[in-house]
Amino acid sequence: MRLSSYVRNAAMGAVSIPLLAGCAGEQVTGGAVERAAERPASWTDLPVRTGARDVVHTDTGDRSYEVRITVKSLVRGSEEDMQGARVGGELKGMVPHYLAFEVTNTGRKEIPAAYMVDSKFALNGTDWVRGKEVYVSGGRPGGVDLPCADTASKTLAPGDSYDTCVTYALPEGVGVLSLTHNADGYLDEGGAVATWPVEGGIEAASAGLADPDDVVRVRWDAGENGVLTGKDVLELPAKLVSVRRGSAADLAGLDLGLNENERRGVPYYVSVSYTNSGRKDLYADQADRVRLLTEGGRQIRGKTPFVLDTKIPGCPSDWVARMIPPGDSVTECSIHLVTDDGDKPFAVGFAEAGRPGLVAWRAPLH
């Protein structure tokens, strides 16, 4: 199955939305209570698992702060919401999703630029592509305000909190799998992750995935002498062979470039077989294109040892340092570190050469 992809460029503009975080209702202006316009019937409350998670916020200076994030609501808007807003043309027709949450400083240090906490958030679509955080100004046609206002504090003292709301855009027809917050901001890497699942997201994401035994053609950059050039892209028949849970002891002494969280994580070994459908020998070394997709919405890249003769129990590979003749098949094994105790593998994806998005199989765990 092909997992869809879409524009990833945010539309820039000042936020000038008068409502407080959350949905339309009563608001206070100059000491008087005003009644905001009723929200349109097209807006839908999504069944996100709300609640508090204690996380670490890392700022641009690599300084860490203890933070509690409490997700309060997630509302799917409609395409009409964007029609009256001043956003870039590339976002026209996309569906906004409004995430309301509270941020509390649970540490002992004041947090500068506290409004940057949401930069570590991700809204993960049921196609495993992340929604794009967008900044909008204006309102819906007919004068109805958007239900999401960015009211984040510039700084946040110990013990203080603020409520805010962030808007994410998804393509029409794509649901929400989960919300995630990553301590280091890199959701494909091994930082600590907090997850808020959305009910029904896993079922929606699983619909139409290829079965492990299905042969799927993937675009592979054949390159020249092991160097990827983008000029010789082949469509190789590929099949998911296995996904096995390993042990940290298997990786002892290996040079995998693991960070602290990854060293404490659980390794999973993903084996994929390919057939060389080209007319010349193929240097098969693209395990880094394999992604272990998790129920929490993460895409965990594969790692391979830098020592060619390394043997890892449960992770056999027959590709090391050899060329694959036309018509022959090869099996590659990549190592993926799951660092969140509450998350688990769900599918395996392949990031194709020269084409955005993934193709994916269901993951048979062993």
Side-chain angles (χ1 to χ4, degrees):
M1 172 192 176
R2 170 158 299 284
L3 303 182
S4 64
S5 60
Y6 47 88
V7 63
R8 301 186 180 198
N9 295 320
M12 301 304 295
V15 177
S16 58
I17 304 171
L19 292 186
L20 297 177
C23 299
E26 291 185 349
Q27 55 181 314
V28 178
T29 304
V33 176
E34 298 180 355
R35 185 71 180 176
E38 292 184 6
R39 78 180 205 175
S42 58
W43 289 343
T44 304
D45 292 302
L46 298 183
V48 61
R49 189 179 301 170
T50 56
R53 306 284 190 277
D54 289 322
V55 304
V56 175
H57 167 60
T58 305
D59 66 13
T60 55
D62 290 330
R63 296 178 293 265
S64 297
Y65 304 89
E66 297 175 2
V67 171
R68 177 170 298 139
I69 296 177
T70 305
V71 169
K72 295 187 173 181
S73 67
L74 180 62
V75 177
R76 177 187 289 126
S78 66
E79 291 185 27
E80 291 181 349
D81 295 352
M82 293 292 196
Q83 292 176 11
R86 292 184 288 277
V87 299
E90 68 272 21
L91 291 173
K92 296 292 185 181
M94 298 190 70
V95 179
H97 292 67
Y98 310 116
L99 171 64
F101 59 97
E102 178 187 66
V103 175
T104 302
N105 183 353
T106 57
R108 299 181 178 180
K109 300 179 293 183
E110 181 178 80
I111 303 176
Y115 53 86
M116 290 296 292
V117 171
D118 67 77
S119 67
K120 308 300 191 295
F121 252 125
L123 182 144
N124 306 296
T126 51
D127 57 357
W128 278 284
V129 181
R130 295 169 195 146
K132 186 63 187 179
E133 183 175 345
V134 296
Y135 301 86
V136 298
S137 59
R140 301 179 79 254
V144 179
D145 293 312
L146 296 180
C148 200
D150 183 355
T151 55
S153 301
K154 185 174 182 180
T155 61
L156 194 62
D160 284 357
S161 301
Y162 68 80
D163 288 291
T164 191
C165 186
V166 176
T167 301
Y168 296 90
L170 288 174
E172 178 66 40
V174 175
V176 182
L177 175 64
S178 66
L179 305 168
T180 47
H181 180 280
N182 189 282
D184 57 19
Y186 299 99
L187 290 162
D188 289 338
E189 301 300 331
V193 179
T195 303
W196 293 262
V198 174
E199 184 179 343
I202 290 294
E203 291 77 10
S206 66
L209 285 180
D211 290 326
D213 291 335
D214 290 346
V215 176
V216 178
R217 302 186 73 85
V218 299
R219 290 171 56 86
W220 189 322
D221 188 346
E224 292 183 16
N225 299 320
V227 178
L228 307 184
T229 63
K231 298 179 181 179
D232 191 5
V233 177
L234 302 176
E235 289 194 357
L236 305 184
K239 183 173 69 172
L240 178 61
V241 176
S242 65
V243 180
R244 298 181 181 276
R245 178 175 174 138
S247 167
D250 300 341
L251 311 182
L254 297 184
D255 185 8
L256 293 175
L258 304 183
N259 62 32
E260 183 178 349
N261 281 304
E262 288 172 327
R263 285 193 291 271
R264 294 196 299 261
V266 177
Y268 285 84
Y269 309 133
V270 176
S271 295
V272 180
S273 68
Y274 311 89
T275 300
N276 182 1
S277 59
R279 298 181 178 179
K280 58 183 181 181
D281 289 353
L282 177 68
Y283 185 81
D285 185 12
Q286 296 197 19
D288 63 336
R289 290 191 170 272
V290 176
R291 308 286 187 265
L292 185 65
L293 309 177
T294 73
E295 291 185 354
R298 297 183 67 197
Q299 299 181 23
I300 302 177
R301 293 173 178 267
K303 298 176 181 289
T304 52
F306 296 109
V307 180
L308 296 182
D309 60 354
T310 299
K311 301 296 183 182
I312 302 174
C315 192
S317 288
D318 58 15
W319 61 270
V320 177
R322 73 181 183 91
M323 304 295 287
I324 311 304
D328 278 10
S329 296
V330 60
T331 298
E332 290 189 7
C333 181
S334 50
I335 304 167
H336 306 254
L337 279 301
V338 177
T339 58
D340 183 358
D341 293 339
D343 207 359
K344 63 181 181 180
F346 178 67
V348 171
F350 185 94
E352 297 192 286
R355 180 182 292 169
L358 303 172
V359 294
W361 297 266
R362 292 186 182 87
L365 296 179
H366 298 287

